[in-house]
Amino acid sequence: MTTSNDETPISGYSGQSMSIFDRELEPVSISDFAERSYLNYSMYVILDRALPNIADGLKPVQRRIVYAMSELGLSANAKFKKSARTVGDVLGKFHPHGDSACYEAMVLMAQNFSFRYPLVDGQGNWGSQDEPKSFAAMRYTESRLTKFSQLMLSELGQGTVDWGQNFDGTLLEPLVLPARVPSVLLNGGSGIAVGMATDIPPHNMREIVSACIHLLENKKATVVDLMLHVKAPDYPSDAEITSSSEDLLKIYETGNGSVRQRAAWDQENSNVIVRALPYQVSGNRVLEQIAAQMLAKKLPMVADVRDESDHENPIRLVIEPRSNRVDLEQMMTHLFATTDLEKSHRVNMNMIGLDGKPRVYDLKTLLVDWLEFRKQTVTRRLEYHLDKILKRLHILEGLLIAYLNIDEVIRIIRMEDKPKPVLIERFNLSDKQAESILDLKLRHLARLEEMNIRSEQDELSIEEQKIQKLLSSSARLKRLMRDELLAVAEEHGDDRRSPLIQRNAARALDQTELIPSEAITIVLSQKGWIRAAKGHEVDSEKLAYRSGDEFLHAVKAKSNEQIVTIDSTGRTYALSAHTLPSARGMGEPLSSQLNPVAGATFHGVMSESESLHYLLATDAGYGFVAALSDLVTRNKAGKTTLNAGSSNVMTPVPVFDMETDLVACVSDSGRLLVFSVADLPKLGRGKGVKMLNIPTKKYAAGEEKMSNVIVLQKGEGLKVNSGKRFLNLKSSELETYIGERAQRGKTLPRGFQKVDDIQVIG
């Protein structure tokens, strides 16, 4: 390896110290260097960026914004100044980061829908609840501090907090602000650090102050006791908090959990008016969610939705139901479950403690630590004032000596070249006392000045005694803290905005409940094409069919029902009626929605509107009665129901009364048997029992099979069709053919040995 004259070679693996440009370097492995760098970065993000401090509830950038604005004189009574001026001061003096991030932090503190108690009073476009980031650029907006921010700053110059150097060491900045209320709970906060995050909900000032006072008076108070004062978070929104008391207790005991918030709505005429949205929920987003459901036809009870918000009504969303018969409570419950009209806010009360370390706080520990900070602040403030009083009394003592010996003092000042040491020695004065005497103006040498000095001494002595008593008595100090908290709550407190109304979590309606109940007729063709026609008065056979196809079966149904179909293998399938294509077209094949066995054909459909029980049979003469509910399956491949074997599955027949209905079976050899439905078993699956006795040899040879089966209700007759001929058998005439199940049946009159089909007649 070659080197230049002014460089020293580096041996990275020698383990020895080395020099480059006369500087000692220490070899470090990449893993150690990466670990150390990542940990340093992590701690920086945690402590100096993402998490608020328990003392003042602010992150560093927020604290620097508030302090910089106070240094610019932007109090609540001052004139507004351009926000760019504030951001410039913050970046140039305290926070060397991006201007957009700094301005966004400032905007957040000015939005009354983001902060429960805003710290910045903005003038101009500072965003809206619908679009929080639609604020104008900082060169267009103006700002100043709010009255609430004075609770952070009023005690700043009274020795209450520690100060540190800014990033370049040219200025001092407060490490925390002397907050007079627990702002970390009042405004909350959220942030994502490295390996941890925080989500602290906002609260009501009066409730938090009440809890602090209770804890001052009873240090053994539990979280349950404190929740008599702090019942729940209080978001800057009028939406209801619907979490249960158990969930809220868990949050305050552990510092973790979630708070459920629901939009507030009223009924106006027949419409629903949403007047308050959950915290950080956009009205536009809610409208989009509702519109998407309407477009997908998953919200049939809603006819229209619109936004009527204005300056007088910041939140006014109108939801118009389809008719007056719509249950508004049920409709809103569904919308709460499927849109942001109900939202859960995560709670993770993670913050920087008084020891400078992050931790998750429960309610009591948080208030105890903040009260300890407040006690230190008040103590330091009193000590600061006491120190000023003692210094002033010391000066006044020297001035009084001077006035009592005014002629001698004047002589010394006139005659001596260096009067200060002479005064100190002559009257036993301190350096500061002598300096104050020398700084006296001639006009203060009047006789009345002595009386003023004695009067000021008396006043300061009384104040000194009061402060000494406060500092020497823990009870008096707590009483002072209590009185100051009450005064703050009286001046800045307000009523709760988020009402606490415990409700169960919203539940979305089933898909069938969302579909309007309309009468339809399901039509199935011989080649398995299916469609739905509106109404029950549909002549299915007269509908148009594809070339080479024709009508097979039809059933009356409702649009919100599930229908069941059976195929040639005896498998049953379920599908929703509302998903079927309209009868205005030719329909679509069932195989497009289902997964039947290859080569299987569909032989009929069943619906709840038609009957709750169906007779399933094969042309071998076997069958049973099945409940429609037992035939339903979610599997698109269906479920095995009728064990058909090598026989053919017949079209299912509705059964109306298991006790009084009759079954009429006809063989293709012209034999008719009528028997009671009660003789058939009620099964969920299987082959069933013999209904009509067909000799096995004849069936195997294809000479005879059961060609038709039908169910007759009490008093109904039967029409037998054979070519162009038909035979009407009244209810009384059917007695000739009534027998027991599994018999051969009786032969129909001559000319009806080849039966096409049988129909029910009244």
Side-chain angles (χ1 to χ4, degrees):
M1 182 170 79
T2 60
T3 61
S4 61
N5 295 332
D6 58 345
E7 292 185 359
T8 302
I10 299 175
S11 177
Y13 301 94
S14 65
Q16 301 174 355
S17 62
M18 58 202 76
S19 63
I20 181 170
F21 304 117
D22 297 328
R23 295 180 61 188
E24 293 295 326
L25 300 179
E26 178 184 354
V28 179
S29 67
I30 292 178
S31 60
D32 290 343
F33 177 78
E35 180 181 358
R36 187 186 308 166
S37 300
Y38 186 74
L39 286 174
N40 290 338
Y41 167 73
S42 301
M43 292 308 297
Y44 167 75
V45 174
I46 291 170
L47 300 178
D48 289 335
R49 185 181 296 181
L51 301 187
N53 194 295
I54 190 175
D56 56 12
L58 300 176
K59 301 177 185 180
V61 64
Q62 295 171 332
R63 184 180 304 114
R64 288 162 177 166
I65 290 171
V66 172
Y67 176 65
M69 292 182 74
S70 70
E71 289 294 286
L72 285 170
L74 296 176
S75 64
N77 298 321
K79 290 183 179 180
F80 289 94
K81 280 188 179 180
K82 287 289 185 181
S83 301
R85 173 70 186 278
T86 298
V87 173
D89 265 33
V90 173
L91 300 185
K93 294 180 178 179
F94 309 112
H95 197 72
H97 296 278
D99 58 340
S100 60
C102 179
Y103 182 51
E104 283 189 21
M106 183 178 176
V107 168
L108 196 69
M109 293 191 292
Q111 293 175 338
N112 57 8
F113 50 85
S114 296
F115 265 43
R116 182 64 177 83
Y117 299 95
L119 297 171
V120 176
D121 183 9
Q123 186 169 266
N125 178 14
W126 291 80
S128 64
Q129 185 168 347
D130 278 340
E131 298 180 16
K133 293 193 175 183
S134 63
F135 50 85
M138 58 184 172
R139 61 181 177 274
Y140 299 120
T141 61
E142 296 179 335
S143 58
R144 64 184 179 188
L145 294 171
T146 61
K147 290 183 178 180
F148 179 82
S149 64
Q150 296 306 310
L151 298 178
M152 306 285 178
L153 300 164
S154 60
E155 299 174 349
L156 186 59
Q158 301 177 29
T160 50
V161 294
D162 295 328
W163 295 67
Q165 290 185 337
N166 68 339
F167 63 89
D168 61 1
T170 58
L171 295 170
L172 292 178
E173 62 175 322
L175 301 182
V176 294
L177 297 180
R180 295 170 59 189
V181 284
S183 180
V184 71
L185 279 177
L186 298 184
N187 278 322
S190 63
I192 299 176
V194 179
M196 62 179 62
T198 183
D199 285 283
I200 307 169
H203 290 77
N204 182 271
M205 180 183 289
R206 290 175 180 170
E207 294 181 4
I208 294 298
V209 167
S210 179
C212 288
I213 292 173
H214 180 77
L215 200 55
L216 279 173
E217 297 173 346
N218 182 9
K219 63 180 181 180
K220 294 183 179 180
T222 64
V223 173
V224 175
D225 298 331
L226 295 176
M227 284 190 66
L228 296 175
H229 305 272
V230 183
K231 297 178 174 60
D234 187 22
Y235 295 95
S237 162
D238 295 332
E240 303 170 352
I241 293 178
T242 59
S243 297
S244 66
S245 55
E246 292 79 11
D247 291 341
L248 294 172
L249 177 61
K250 179 183 176 182
I251 289 172
Y252 288 127
E253 284 184 334
T254 64
N256 283 290
S258 62
V259 178
R260 191 171 62 249
Q261 199 177 20
R262 178 179 294 185
W265 63 280
D266 298 314
Q267 182 177 349
E268 187 176 289
N269 298 325
S270 59
N271 296 337
V272 168
I273 309 298
V274 178
R275 54 178 174 78
L277 294 172
Y279 180 52
Q280 293 182 332
V281 168
S282 164
N284 289 339
R285 173 63 178 159
V286 171
L287 293 181
E288 289 174 3
Q289 292 172 333
I290 296 176
Q293 293 188 51
M294 294 172 65
L295 191 63
K297 297 183 179 179
K298 294 183 178 180
L299 206 59
M301 71 280 285
V302 176
D304 188 25
V305 59
R306 57 186 179 273
D307 187 357
E308 295 184 356
S309 305
D310 53 28
H311 290 291
E312 294 183 2
N313 301 288
I315 301 295
R316 182 180 169 86
L317 306 183
V318 181
I319 303 174
E320 184 179 331
R322 189 166 295 277
S323 70
N324 293 331
R325 296 189 301 273
V326 173
D327 187 336
L328 298 184
E329 289 284 350
Q330 188 181 56
M331 179 185 76
M332 291 304 296
T333 299
H334 176 75
L335 291 177
F336 288 143
T338 57
T339 69
D340 285 345
L341 286 174
E342 180 172 289
K343 188 175 182 181
S344 291
H345 307 291
R346 193 166 68 94
V347 176
N348 178 23
M349 295 202 288
N350 188 12
M351 62 197 79
I352 307 300
L354 297 180
D355 57 358
K357 298 178 182 179
R359 61 169 291 189
V360 177
Y361 281 84
D362 62 86
L363 180 62
K364 179 180 178 179
T365 307
L366 192 158
L367 293 180
V368 167
D369 279 15
W370 184 83
L371 286 172
E372 177 60 29
F373 165 75
R374 183 59 187 162
K375 180 180 179 181
Q376 294 173 6
T377 303
V378 173
T379 301
R380 292 178 65 167
R381 186 190 75 202
L382 293 174
E383 289 174 345
Y384 176 82
H385 283 294
L386 179 61
D387 185 57
K388 287 185 66 176
I389 289 172
L390 293 176
K391 288 180 179 178
R392 181 59 180 167
L393 285 173
H394 182 64
I395 297 299
L396 291 176
E397 183 181 351
L399 292 177
L400 187 60
I401 291 174
Y403 281 109
L404 293 176
N405 301 277
I406 189 65
D407 295 333
E408 180 65 13
V409 169
I410 292 174
R411 187 192 65 79
I412 292 174
I413 293 174
R414 289 182 63 187
M415 302 300 296
E416 299 292 338
D417 294 334
K418 295 182 178 180
K420 184 176 179 180
V422 178
L423 288 173
I424 292 174
E425 182 179 358
R426 173 68 178 83
F427 299 107
N428 195 22
L429 301 174
S430 67
D431 184 79
K432 289 186 177 180
Q433 287 175 325
E435 193 69 36
S436 63
I437 292 172
L438 292 173
D439 289 339
L440 279 174
K441 295 180 180 180
L442 291 175
R443 65 168 175 253
H444 290 158
L445 298 178
R447 292 288 300 176
L448 292 176
E449 195 65 30
E450 178 185 344
M451 298 175 60
N452 293 335
I453 291 174
R454 292 187 182 277
S455 175
E456 186 178 353
Q457 278 183 323
D458 294 340
E459 292 175 2
L460 292 177
S461 296
I462 294 173
E463 191 172 350
E464 176 196 358
Q465 292 176 7
K466 288 181 179 179
I467 295 176
Q468 293 283 15
K469 288 180 180 180
L470 288 171
L471 291 173
S472 62
S473 172
S474 177
R476 286 192 177 96
L477 195 60
K478 287 183 178 180
R479 196 177 304 119
L480 175 63
M481 293 168 59
R482 173 184 177 276
D483 293 341
E484 289 180 349
L485 284 170
L486 285 174
V488 169
E490 179 68 25
E491 181 180 359
H492 297 276
D494 56 1
D495 295 331
R496 167 176 279 277
R497 288 195 59 181
S498 302
L500 181 59
I501 304 175
Q502 294 189 17
R503 303 182 191 273
N504 294 326
R507 182 187 67 85
L509 297 175
D510 292 336
Q511 192 174 18
T512 54
E513 295 178 286
L514 293 172
I515 301 164
S517 179
E518 299 176 346
I520 57 174
T521 300
I522 310 297
V523 182
L524 179 67
S525 74
Q526 288 190 356
K527 290 191 175 181
W529 287 65
I530 195 167
R531 47 187 156 168
K534 289 187 177 181
H536 287 165
E537 307 300 325
V538 178
D539 191 345
S540 304
E541 297 186 27
K542 291 185 178 180
L543 294 175
Y545 292 88
R546 299 171 66 87
S547 177
D549 198 5
E550 59 184 11
F551 169 76
L552 173 66
H553 190 219
V555 67
K556 297 175 181 177
K558 293 289 183 66
S559 57
N560 62 343
E561 291 179 350
Q562 275 197 320
I563 64 167
V564 177
T565 182
I566 189 168
D567 69 5
S568 56
T569 67
R571 297 180 71 84
T572 55
Y573 309 79
L575 64 162
S576 299
H578 75 277
T579 63
L580 300 179
S582 170
R584 294 176 180 175
M586 299 291 184
E588 62 183 30
L590 272 171
S591 56
S592 65
Q593 294 195 35
L594 306 173
N595 298 324
V597 178
T601 57
F602 293 95
H603 284 204
V605 288
M606 296 164 271
S607 76
E608 185 178 319
S609 294
E610 193 88 355
S611 178
L612 297 177
H613 294 85
Y614 280 83
L615 171 59
L616 305 182
T618 62
D619 63 356
Y622 287 84
F624 61 90
V625 175
L628 184 63
S629 58
D630 293 336
L631 309 182
V632 175
T633 175
R634 293 184 179 180
N635 191 349
K636 289 189 175 183
K639 61 183 290 188
T640 301
T641 301
L642 179 61
N643 186 5
S646 59
S647 57
N648 297 316
V649 175
M650 304 189 73
T651 300
V653 182
V655 176
F656 306 101
D657 192 320
M658 292 289 293
E659 300 296 328
T660 61
D661 285 357
L662 299 175
V663 179
C665 304
V666 178
S667 70
D668 58 1
S669 62
R671 289 182 174 273
L672 173 63
L673 175 65
V674 180
F675 62 90
S676 174
V677 172
D679 293 341
L680 293 175
K682 186 178 178 183
L683 303 175
R685 58 179 295 180
K687 180 180 179 180
V689 296
K690 184 174 285 189
M691 300 167 56
L692 181 65
N693 186 8
I694 297 176
T696 306
K697 290 183 179 180
K698 286 190 174 185
Y699 181 81
E703 297 176 358
E704 186 178 351
K705 61 183 178 180
M706 187 170 70
S707 59
N708 297 94
V709 62
I710 201 168
V711 173
L712 304 172
Q713 291 181 275
K714 187 176 181 180
E716 291 181 335
L718 187 67
K719 180 181 180 180
V720 182
N721 296 299
S722 178
K724 294 182 179 181
R725 304 179 64 180
F726 65 90
L727 173 66
N728 287 337
L729 298 173
K730 295 181 180 180
S731 176
S732 58
E733 296 173 331
L734 286 175
E735 294 180 2
T736 306
Y737 300 93
I738 292 178
E740 294 184 1
R741 177 186 62 80
Q743 291 182 342
R744 285 283 288 159
K746 292 188 177 182
T747 305
L748 288 165
R750 186 175 179 178
F752 289 92
Q753 276 64 47
K754 295 293 182 180
V755 177
D756 294 329
D757 69 89
I758 54 179
Q759 298 173 342
V760 176
I761 59 174

